[in-house]
Amino acid sequence: MVAADEKQQERANIDTTSLHTIEQVSIRTGLTKRTLRYYEEVGLLPPTGRTEGNYRRYTEDDVQRLLRIKELRDLLGVSLTDIRKLLEVEDERGQIKLAYRQETDAATKIAQLDRADELIREQLHLIEQKIAGLEQMHADLQARLERHARKREDLNHEI
């Protein structure tokens, strides 16, 4: 709850000239306005700032997060649930990184590094699962091509 309050405070302190409209973000990311609203609704994107007229305003960090979501979705074929997990882990790693920089106690720094490593392993596990699935799909398609080649060869002998 505190992290959400801090995010809202950060948003309040942002120079309004660096904010983007939903139309600008849609064009820049290639995501529809409906998708942008949906990502906010399901918690993939923190609630955006609003104008007095209640229009959404996006920060550059929001745009970068949306581009990351799109990359995970399109490039890796990751589900929105998995994307949420990955982003939560990335957010926690970012918090650990900030705390690490401010920490002076070596034992605490080691504990922070251990937690960051644990989070990285979680991300690697998810990606390895995706890779294994893609490799299996690749092997299945290769096997089909090889079966077709054998059938083609058998049919050519009949001609």
Side-chain angles (χ1 to χ4, degrees):
M1 199 56 109
V2 173
D5 291 339
E6 289 173 5
K7 283 282 187 193
Q8 290 290 39
Q9 185 60 39
E10 285 176 25
R11 288 178 175 283
N13 294 333
I14 292 173
D15 176 12
T16 56
T17 59
S18 65
L19 298 177
H20 310 284
T21 66
I22 194 169
E23 181 73 28
Q24 292 167 326
V25 173
S26 175
I27 291 168
R28 188 159 162 207
T29 62
L31 298 168
T32 66
K33 291 186 254 183
R34 182 177 180 181
T35 298
L36 296 173
R37 290 182 194 104
Y38 179 72
Y39 285 176
E40 183 180 342
E41 181 182 315
V42 298
L44 287 174
L45 185 67
T48 63
R50 301 286 180 137
T51 66
E52 289 181 19
N54 205 28
Y55 290 101
R56 285 175 169 82
R57 291 295 190 190
Y58 297 86
T59 65
E60 187 58 32
D61 286 345
D62 293 335
V63 173
Q64 292 308 310
R65 186 175 185 95
L66 287 163
L67 290 170
R68 178 77 169 134
I69 292 168
K70 185 177 180 190
E71 174 187 51
L72 291 168
R73 188 193 69 190
D74 295 349
L75 180 64
L76 297 177
V78 178
S79 71
L80 293 182
T81 300
D82 288 340
I83 289 172
R84 181 179 297 108
K85 289 177 193 173
L86 285 168
L87 292 175
E88 286 171 356
V89 167
E90 286 180 6
D91 289 346
E92 186 176 345
R93 282 185 27 231
Q95 292 170 357
I96 291 169
K97 186 177 183 178
L98 288 174
Y100 180 88
R101 288 180 180 159
Q102 296 172 355
E103 186 59 55
T104 57
D105 179 61
T108 303
K109 283 186 158 203
I110 290 170
Q112 291 166 331
L113 289 171
D114 290 344
R115 178 62 183 147
D117 287 353
E118 184 181 321
L119 293 169
I120 290 168
R121 284 186 192 94
E122 286 178 26
Q123 289 180 307
L124 283 171
H125 179 71
L126 178 65
I127 290 169
E128 288 164 354
Q129 287 177 320
K130 296 296 177 188
I131 290 170
L134 289 171
E135 286 174 342
Q136 182 60 53
M137 183 183 287
H138 181 268
D140 291 345
L141 291 172
Q142 280 297 124
R144 286 181 188 177
L145 283 174
E146 291 168 10
R147 281 195 308 272
H148 288 179
R150 285 192 300 274
K151 287 179 182 178
R152 193 175 290 106
E153 196 173 302
D154 291 344
L155 291 170
N156 280 329
H157 287 313
E158 292 179 17
I159 297 179

